[in-house]
Amino acid sequence: MNPGAKKILLAGLAFAVVYGLLNSLSNIFLLPSAPIISMRPQIALPMVVGILVHPLAGFITGFAGNMFGDAVYGFGALKFWNWHIANGLMGWIPGLVGYGGIRRIGTVREFGILQMSLVGASAAGVAAAVVLDVFFIHLLTFPYSFPSWILPAFLTDAVNAFILVPVILLLARRIRLTLETRTILMITGLLLVSILATAGAITWAVLDDLVSHSAMVENFYIAAVVSVLLLVAGFIAAIVFVRKVTDPLADLAQAAQAVEQGNYDLPGLAGVSARADELGRLARIFEQMAGKVREREKTLQRQVDELKIIIDRKKQAQDVSEIVETEYFLALKEKARKFRET
Amino acid sequence: MKHDILDLAQCFFYTAADFGKEDAMPEIIAIHSFRGGTGKTNTTANLACLLARKGRRVGVVDTDIQSPGIHVLFNLDPKDAPHTLNDFLWGKCDIGRAVYDVSRILGAEDKEKLFLIPSSIRTGDIARVLHYGYDINLLKEGYQKAIEQFALDYLFIDTHPGLNEETLMSIAVADTLLILLRPDQQDYQGTAVTVEVSRQLEVPRMFLIVNKVPTAFPGDALAAKVTAAYNCDVAGVLPHADEMMALGSSGLFCLMHPNTALGRAMEDILRRITA
Ligand SMILES: Nc1ncnc2c1ncn2[C@@H]1O[C@H](COP(=O)(O)OP(=O)(O)OP(=O)(O)O)[C@@H](O)[C@H]1O
Ligand SMILES: [Mg+2]
């Protein structure tokens, strides 16, 4: 897939309009802890455009969309230009994953790269906005802005992208459902549900006046940081676990392929067959089976070696001469010779 | 002047086109075996069908006058074939009238790819040809005419087993002879005689094909043995296939089971003999 410049531009701008409208809409639903940074599920849009169309289309959607949204909402199109760039980067970076060769996600490794690119894009975008602010815009004040703006901006974008982008890619059939992806999707889903439940419980507590707003904000920070740590740790643990199961499967598949091609020495299976678990048992049975096939092949080879084509040469000569010395045969031979010459 | 150049160019063009045709000389391929039931008829039908599917125009002649059978594989009802090879051999009809388009077997839409010259299944017709015999020059002329009239690239001849006068004729008219044998002690001696007699008839090209080989038998080793015993090239080793037995000549194996050991082995044989 390599869309032309025109298609990239058109797709980027078309989705930018959608993104801008969603942005100005969602400014209404503010995160309890961050009065300005809003709950932004739509951040998935520039990322998905970057992945499915082209990294540059993702950039255009993020950049132009944020500008358009600010204008519609009344911030002014150019006031927070550093955030336009931040959004552009968030659309551009995940697209590089697909551009770098991962067209369809089928393994835990590819899924991990995708999810890390989403988190990385959120981090890079926010970092760029902050740096530009420090040098040119001077709106942020340190250290106050860090917990009130920067961290929430990063967290909301990262968590939203982490949940929504895989869901959209799944619907767009960009994630192949293999054993690996199914498992990692399930574990990631469970992690996210528990994190969202925590966040939900805290929000609910404050809405019901069970705790004061300031206590809630404090709780929310602790919960958010713990959640992200949990997410990263859980995600890495999940990757390790899934690979522990699927790597031996890959070894087994390779061994099966070797047997299919008539190669019965399977050194690549030694690691798996040494395992004490179910996969180790499967590998040992497989090795036994390959040994049996090798035995059978040897027997067949021996049978062919022993096969004797016994021809009685004397009788053969006799039978041949009985035929070729007849008048009929001699005449036939002569005729055949004639029409072969013509 | 301008016309001269055009004529010259056209002349060159035609010569070049004729040049291309030269290596595509139509070829007569006879399939024979000393003993019966080796798989001649099924192998002939399948090789012909595979070639036709590759876009060549292929004819098949049933010269097994005593026990015709290949029309069954091509799904040609004798009722729909009023003229046969027998009629041609008695001068009752032109060879062209005994040629039937059986391309339908390849696919509902297919036409003019695969042709069959059947033998009569009526006992009277059979007895008559066997009694009076026929002349090889007539047979050869008939084949030549059929090849020209239907623009055939290949003409396959299915034969009766053994070395009687009729089969000797089929061997004599062939450009390429394929001799089938099974890995069976009963086949070895007669095959040796057939190979030698065919040599004496000066057949231009001759190959052995080993059929009904136990599955998973190492084919290369077997082929090497056969080559050494007969001092003759082996075109291929065809494994026994239960699916072929199950078909019971009611259809073409190569169309129904292309991706099997037997199907691939047939393709290999074609590659060797048409190389
Ligand atoms: N490779 C094979 N595997 C299994 N069965 C086979 C194979 N080749 C042929 N047969 C079976 O062997 C039987 C005889 O085949 P076929 O009629 O083609 O032999 P033939 O040499 O033409 O016989 P005949 O000498 O009677 O004309 C058929 O039932 C056919 O299905
Ligand atoms: Mg037959």
Side-chain angles (χ1 to χ4, degrees), chain B residues 36-42 64 161 211-212 239-241 244-245 249 262:
Chain B
T38 50
K40 291 181 293 299
T41 300
N42 277 275
D64 189 352
N211 190 19
K212 304 196 179 180
H240 174 92
M244 174 78 113
M245 280 305 276
S249 301
L262 179 54

Side-chain angles (χ1 to χ4, degrees), chain A residues 93-129:
Chain A
I93 291 172
L96 296 178
V97 172
Y99 212 62
I102 304 179
R103 295 256 79 101
R104 279 188 92 199
I105 290 155
T107 65
V108 156
R109 193 180 140 269
E110 290 163 351
F111 189 73
I113 291 175
L114 168 75
Q115 295 298 73
M116 290 309 154
S117 82
L118 302 178
V119 176
S122 306
V126 172

